């Protein structure tokens, strides 16, 4: 009996356990989705109930199966059974109630949560924004309908995929993933971007990423909200365009405050029209620009604009300089809903030119302008049978030229006024309107005054609730001006083409797509191609390959941004297939909608300009070198004077000592080489004056080449082509010889290892126009062209631009100083000539030197000068002046070695004072030119006031202010260049004394 009761109770417990287990599974299934306090409380109650019922179930099992085996005591079994019967059911009942209570709380919470989720889904689905949920692996887990519609996707096509699969790897890794990664790190991300949609097209999007956090704070994904802001962007851009149009419009424009009658804004054209800056007019009374006699009319015109909304009138305006000029003014009053005028906007056209051009037509134009004022579109409403005019606005009077009553009383008046050639076509189209056809016609009408107007008319049927047509509404516009404008456009196009054909520049136009649609005759002449081979993209073939990429990049950028186009490039000339430098420029031309409908461009040949610019840079470079050379020449020559002077004295004392005398000779030779180097520097920097005389190049060149042949390898063939007749220039024969030797030496160096051919030619050329070279420009006239051509290694493009730079050389260490071509360039420039070079790597180089040719030649027949005397013929008493004491000391010692009596001074003031004490004590004065206090020429002038017949010798290492010619003009007997050699000094003194 006890066992049966226990078994029955256990069966009841099993049933309860099954129910509880089902509840447990449901709770566990939805626990993560039900994170409220009620859900957690219900879960806790279920778990507690399970624990109690489980305890009782365990007790039943123990009592049924294990307890009889553990004891045979009937009392124990009875006790356990009573305990179970008396208390087990109570505990089981309590646990069951807790389970059902927890399940009920959980179920209620789940129902409310599901209802809330349904509301959220309705909100998400109903919004126009694009919403999506992306998990931590960057995969889309949920999107709303707006998102799917925008991309024309189905839900299964997007869920579970990443941005790389949907938008491409590049967009995902460069834009989407960095932003999404920051969001998963806890940041709220916002940015703006443009995107192409299959359905919506290109749109501007405002994108927001928000981290999605679970109840425990962990981030399991992100919410993406995307809003389409394209319309807002378009509105902003349109506002900017209108502001740009206002500011840069060709006609003057201003905005006036109706209360204060002051100008709130003016554009550039209005300010320029009156000679002011924009800032000068803003905030000023409107009447400041009007003539005084028109000031009373301003308020009347403003009142008309306030009444009618629009008003046109002519008046006299005053320029800043006092000049008066007629102006056409169009005023529009802008009102709010209450009819209050907010501001007046006015446009102004200077009528001065038109007034002057029209002359006798002024009266007829005035009538036409008055006729065209206040023209507005006609709005009309008619019955479906066209028999009754229900409404027409006052514009009917302006367009048709008859009172409104005529239009109301005769519904067919407008048909009768149509031009006979257009009437039947318009009438048929209007009748067919009620049969479902569209009506949009353009026709002519006759006004009562006999004038003809062009009308653009549109109408549509209006249906009632039953779908029946009960009236017709339409809009008719006077488009006479449009037709006149089309005629003017045709005339303008003809004039434009005439102007373009007359312009010496290359002129072209292109469409919005960037393809050329017109080129003028200059373009065809330059390329030697017909226009149809250039328009479109045919111009690509004539641009230098190295420049084409940059041209296309700049052109594509201008087409994309509507900004002006400018680029420098080289274009192939059709005549000789050579490339010339050009600057291409183009400006966009906008239509009334602010869109580019045409590009106007020109190509300007700047080849000659670039050559002139290169000349200017070379001139600046040589000027800087010249300044440096002049600065160091004086001091360096003083140093050389000391070295050479003391070396000469030492040589005299070293006679008989062969080794010592040989060393001193080397020192002297090195000093003279240094002196020549200074002269080279002064030559290429054009700081050295030269003595020019007629030179016969036809006899000079063979003599020089005979020396060249003796010094170059036999593997180099020397050719000479010189005319038999004398060809003369004015120049210095020594320097001309130096040019030929330097150029031949450079040619020999390039052919030293491989051998080759050296050609020297001389020919006459004539330039009818100025000839531009890389570093100079030669005037028109006859020239002799000396060419030195070799078949050596040639010159690279990199070295070509620097070959005439001082101290620049491509030779090895110890093989060249880098002064050869610099000296050649300096000599050529001093002879008013020019030099050019053509070279191809691996084939050779040609130098062409141009000298002005003279008509006749006078060859000197004087004998060569005799060798200088070995000693001074007549010793003298000499005052030697030099601010460098070592030079003064060496001068004294050299002169005394020749038997002279010498006194030295180290400045001009001291020398003047000593000479003043006894002017007859000295037979001669030798003075340096550049000295502090008193220069050499100033000292000479002062001494000649004391003694007019005094012989004076002036010495200088370099001077910007003193030349041999100037020295001779001031009475100086001789002019010596430092360093002064002993033999030069002896020769000069013998000539003077």
């Amino acid at each position: 009996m006890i066992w049966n009761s226990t078994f029955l109770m256990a069966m009841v417990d099993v049933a309860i356990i099954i129910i509880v287990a089902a509840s447990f599974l449901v709770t566990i299934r939805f626990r993560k989705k039900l994170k409220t306090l009620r859900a957690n409380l219900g879960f806790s109650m279920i778990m507690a109930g399970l624990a109690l019922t489980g305890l009782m179930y365990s007790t039943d099992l123990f009592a049924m199966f294990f307890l009889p085996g553990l004891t045979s005591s009937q009392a124990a079994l009875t006790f356990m059974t009573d305990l179970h019967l008396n208390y087990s059911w109570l505990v089981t009942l309590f646990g069951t109630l807790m389970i059902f209570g927890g399940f009920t709380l959980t179920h209620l919470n789940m129902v409310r949560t599901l209802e809330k989720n349904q509301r959220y889904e309705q909100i998400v689905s109903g919004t126009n924004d694009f919403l999506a949920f992306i998990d931590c692996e960057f995969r889309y887990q949920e999107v709303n309908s707006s998102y799917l519609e925008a991309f024309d996707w189905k839900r299964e096509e997007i869920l579970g995929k990443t941005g790389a699969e949907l938008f491409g790897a590049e967009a995902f890794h460069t834009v989407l993933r960095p932003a999404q990664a920051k969001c998963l790190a806890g940041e709220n991300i916002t940015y703006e971007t443009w995107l192409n949609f299959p359905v919506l097209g290109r749109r501007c999007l405002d994108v927001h990423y928000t981290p999605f956090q679970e109840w425990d704070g962990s981030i399991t994904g992100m919410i993406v909200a995307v809003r389409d802001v394209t319309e807002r962007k378009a509105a902003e851009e349109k506002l900017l365009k209108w502001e740009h149009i206002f500011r840069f419009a060709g006609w003057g424009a201003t905005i006036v405050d109706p209360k204060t009658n002051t100008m709130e804004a003016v554009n550039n054209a209005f300010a320029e029209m009156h000679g002011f800056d924009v800032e000068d007019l803003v905030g000023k009374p409107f009447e400041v620009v009007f003539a005084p006699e028109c000031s009373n009319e301003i308020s009347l015109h403003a009142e008309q604009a306030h009444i009618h909304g629009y008003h046109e009138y002519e008046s006299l305006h005053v320029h800043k300089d006092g000049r008066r000029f007629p102006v056409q003014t169009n005023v529009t009053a802008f009102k709010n809903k209450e009819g209050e005028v907010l501001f007046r906007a006015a446009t102004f056209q200077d009528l001065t030119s038109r007034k002057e051009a029209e002359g006798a037509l002024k009266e007829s134009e005035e009538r036409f302008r008055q006729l065209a004022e206040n023209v507005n579109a006609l709005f009309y409403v008619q019955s479906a049978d066209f028999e009754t005019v229900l409404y027409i606005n006052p514009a009917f009077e302006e367009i048709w030229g008859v009172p409104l009553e005529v239009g109301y009383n005769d519904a067919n008046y407008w048909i009768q006024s149509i031009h006979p050639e257009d009437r039947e076509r318009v009438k048929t189209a209007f009748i067919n309107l009620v049969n479902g056809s569209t009506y949009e016609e353009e026709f002519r009408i006759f006004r009562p005054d006999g004038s003809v107007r062009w009308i653009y008319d549109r109408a549509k049927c209006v249906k009632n609730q039953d779908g029946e047509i009960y009236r017709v509404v339409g809009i008719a516009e006077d488009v006479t001006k449009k037709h006149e404008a089309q005629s003017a456009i045709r005339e303008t196009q003809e004039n434009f083409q005439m102007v373009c054909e007359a312009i010496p520049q290359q002129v072209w136009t292109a469409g919005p797509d960037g393809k050329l649609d017109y080129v003028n005759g200059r373009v065809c002449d330059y390329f030697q191609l017909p226009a149809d081979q250039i328009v479109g993209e045919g111009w690509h073939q004539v641009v230098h390959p190295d420049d084409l990429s940059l041209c296309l990049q700049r052109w594509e950028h201008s087409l994309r941004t509507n900004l002006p186009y400018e680029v420098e490039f080289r274009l192939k000339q059709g005549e000789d297939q050579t490339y010339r430098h050009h600057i291409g420029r183009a400006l966009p031309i906008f239509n009334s909608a602010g869109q580019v409908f045409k590009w106007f461009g020109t190509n300007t040949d700047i080849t000659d300009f670039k050559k002139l610019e290169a000349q200017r840079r070379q001139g600046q470079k040589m000027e800087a070198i010249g300044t440096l050379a002049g600065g160091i020449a004086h001091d360096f020559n003083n140093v050389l004077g000391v070295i050479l002077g003391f070396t000469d004295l030492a040589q005299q004392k070293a006679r008989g000592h062969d080794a010592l005398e040989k060393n001193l000779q080397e020192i002297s030779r090195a000093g003279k080489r240094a002196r020549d180097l200074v002269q080279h520097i002064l030559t290429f920097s054009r700081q050295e004056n030269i003595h020019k005389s007629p030179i016969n190049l036809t006899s000079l060149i063979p003599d020089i080449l005979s020396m060249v042949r003796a010094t170059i390898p036999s593997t180099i063939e020397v050719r000479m082509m010189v005319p038999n007749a004398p060809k003369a220039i004015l120049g210095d024969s020594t320097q001309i010889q130096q040019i030929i030797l330097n150029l031949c030496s450079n040619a020999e160096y390039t052919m030293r290892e491989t051998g080759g051919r050296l050609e020297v030619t001389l020919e006459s050329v004539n330039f009818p126009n100025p000839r531009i070279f890389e570093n100079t420009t030669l005037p028109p006239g006859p020239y002799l062209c000396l060419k030195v051509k070799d078949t050596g290694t040639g010159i690279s493009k990199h070295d070509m631009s620097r070959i005439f730079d001082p101290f620049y050389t491509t030779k090895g260490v110890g093989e060249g100083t880098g002064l050869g071509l610099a000296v050649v360039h300096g000599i050529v420039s001093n002879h008013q000539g020019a030099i050019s070079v053509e070279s191809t790597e691996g084939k050779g180089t040609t130098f062409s030197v141009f000298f002005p040719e003279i008509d006749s030649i006078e060859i000197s027949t004087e004998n060569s000068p005799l060798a200088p005397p070995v000693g001074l013929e007549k010793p003298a008493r000499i005052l030697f002046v030099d601010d460098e004491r070592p030079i003064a000391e060496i001068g004294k010692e050299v002169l005394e070695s020749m038997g002279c009596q010498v006194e030295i001074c180290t400045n001009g003031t001291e020398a003047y004072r000593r000479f003043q004490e006894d002017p007859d004590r000295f037979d001669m004065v030798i003075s340096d030119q550049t000295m502090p206090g008193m220069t050499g020429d100033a000292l000479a002038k002062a001494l000649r006031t004391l003694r007019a017949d005094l012989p004076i010798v002036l010495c200088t290492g370099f001077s910007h202010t003193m030349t041999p010619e100037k020295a001779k003009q001031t009475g100086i007997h001789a002019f010596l260049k430092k360093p002064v050699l002993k033999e030069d000094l002896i020769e000069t003194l013998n000539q003077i004394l």
Side-chain angles (χ1 to χ4, degrees), residues 378-382 430 439 457-460 472-476:
L378 166 66
F379 176 72
Y380 60 88
V381 180
Q382 283 186 292
F430 202 73
Y439 174 77
D457 192 14
R458 292 156 293 170
K460 63 179 296 185
V472 176
V473 297
I475 297 176

Side-chain angles (χ1 to χ4, degrees), residues 445-463:
I445 65 169
F446 283 114
R447 289 167 52 90
D449 59 4
S451 61
V452 177
R453 293 289 184 93
W454 279 93
I455 306 299
Y456 175 53
D457 192 14
R458 292 156 293 170
K460 63 179 296 185
C461 296
V462 180
K463 299 180 180 180

Side-chain angles (χ1 to χ4, degrees), residues 561-845:
T561 61
N562 293 339
L563 294 176
Y565 164 78
E566 180 172 332
V567 68
E568 183 176 330
F569 51 83
R570 289 163 289 178
L571 294 176
K572 184 190 295 182
Q573 194 170 16
E575 183 176 356
D576 54 9
Q577 298 296 298
T578 59
Y579 286 95
R580 294 181 63 84
H581 291 269
H582 288 74
I583 284 185
R585 297 185 177 95
L587 293 174
I589 302 176
F590 298 89
N591 58 20
S592 58
Q595 298 172 336
V596 174
F597 75 95
K598 185 73 70 177
W599 287 85
F600 178 80
T602 61
N603 296 333
T604 304
D605 191 332
I606 60 170
T607 305
D608 294 342
F609 173 79
K610 290 182 74 68
K611 290 181 179 179
L612 293 173
E613 181 66 16
Q615 293 177 19
R616 184 185 66 82
R617 288 196 300 269
Q618 181 67 18
Q620 291 175 340
K621 185 189 304 180
M622 300 307 292
E623 182 180 355
I625 294 295
T627 303
L628 174 63
I632 68 173
H634 178 268
D635 293 336
F636 194 56
N637 280 329
N638 283 340
V639 174
L640 290 177
V642 174
I643 295 173
L644 292 174
F646 280 109
T647 301
D648 187 57
L649 292 175
Q651 283 179 308
Q652 296 179 19
K653 297 177 181 180
R655 288 172 183 171
H657 300 276
D658 294 342
L660 179 59
E661 189 174 6
K662 182 178 180 182
N663 292 338
L664 292 174
Q665 287 176 353
E666 291 298 325
I667 295 175
S668 178
R669 187 178 294 108
K672 292 178 181 179
R673 284 166 55 195
R675 178 195 62 181
D676 294 339
L677 181 61
V678 173
Q679 294 305 314
H680 286 329
I681 296 175
L682 292 175
T683 298
F684 74 69
S685 62
R686 308 182 193 178
Q687 300 290 332
E688 180 68 8
N689 294 304
I690 61 174
H691 176 70
K692 299 178 182 178
S693 61
I695 303 172
N696 183 7
L697 292 184
T698 57
S699 60
L700 179 64
I701 293 175
D703 294 340
I704 298 173
L705 289 185
S706 63
M707 293 187 296
V708 171
R709 286 190 178 96
T711 59
I712 64 176
S714 59
T715 56
I716 298 177
E717 177 188 0
V718 179
R719 293 183 181 180
M720 179 182 67
M721 288 173 282
V722 176
N724 295 325
K727 297 293 182 180
I729 65 171
L730 194 64
D732 184 284
S733 61
T734 302
Q735 292 191 351
I736 300 302
Q737 178 179 343
Q738 188 173 4
I739 290 175
I740 300 174
L741 289 175
N742 279 349
L743 293 179
C744 290
S745 174
N746 286 342
E748 180 273 333
Y749 181 83
T750 64
M751 299 183 290
R752 184 176 298 174
E753 297 181 359
T754 61
R757 184 175 63 254
L758 172 63
E759 296 181 3
V760 179
T761 63
L762 181 69
E763 61 181 355
S764 296
V765 296
N766 186 67
F767 297 147
N769 299 307
R771 182 69 176 270
I772 299 176
F773 290 86
E774 189 68 25
N775 297 314
T776 189
T777 300
L778 295 181
Y783 291 86
L784 288 180
C785 177
L786 171 66
K787 289 187 178 181
V788 179
K789 181 179 180 181
D790 65 69
T791 58
T793 58
I795 305 173
S796 68
K797 291 183 179 180
H798 174 265
D799 295 328
M800 184 72 75
S801 62
R802 300 191 59 188
I803 58 175
F804 295 113
D805 290 353
F807 307 110
Y808 181 79
T809 180
T810 58
K811 298 179 180 179
V813 177
E815 294 183 330
T817 62
L819 289 176
L821 289 178
V823 169
V824 169
H825 184 274
I827 294 173
V828 172
S829 298
N830 283 337
H831 284 75
Q832 287 75 50
I835 184 170
S836 65
V837 58
E838 297 177 4
S839 183
T840 303
E841 289 190 75
K843 294 185 178 181
T845 303

Side-chain angles (χ1 to χ4, degrees), residues 17 19-29 31 38-56 91-92 94-106:
I17 289 301
I19 297 174
V20 170
S23 302
F24 176 74
L25 292 176
V26 172
T27 303
I28 292 300
R29 171 66 178 84
R31 180 177 180 271
R38 185 185 295 111
N40 289 327
L41 178 60
F43 181 75
S44 300
M45 292 175 64
I46 292 171
M47 295 305 295
L50 287 173
L52 290 174
T53 53
L55 177 62
M56 291 299 99
V91 175
T92 301
F94 182 72
T96 302
L97 291 176
M98 290 183 68
I99 291 172
F100 279 101
F103 179 75
T104 301
L105 290 175
T106 303

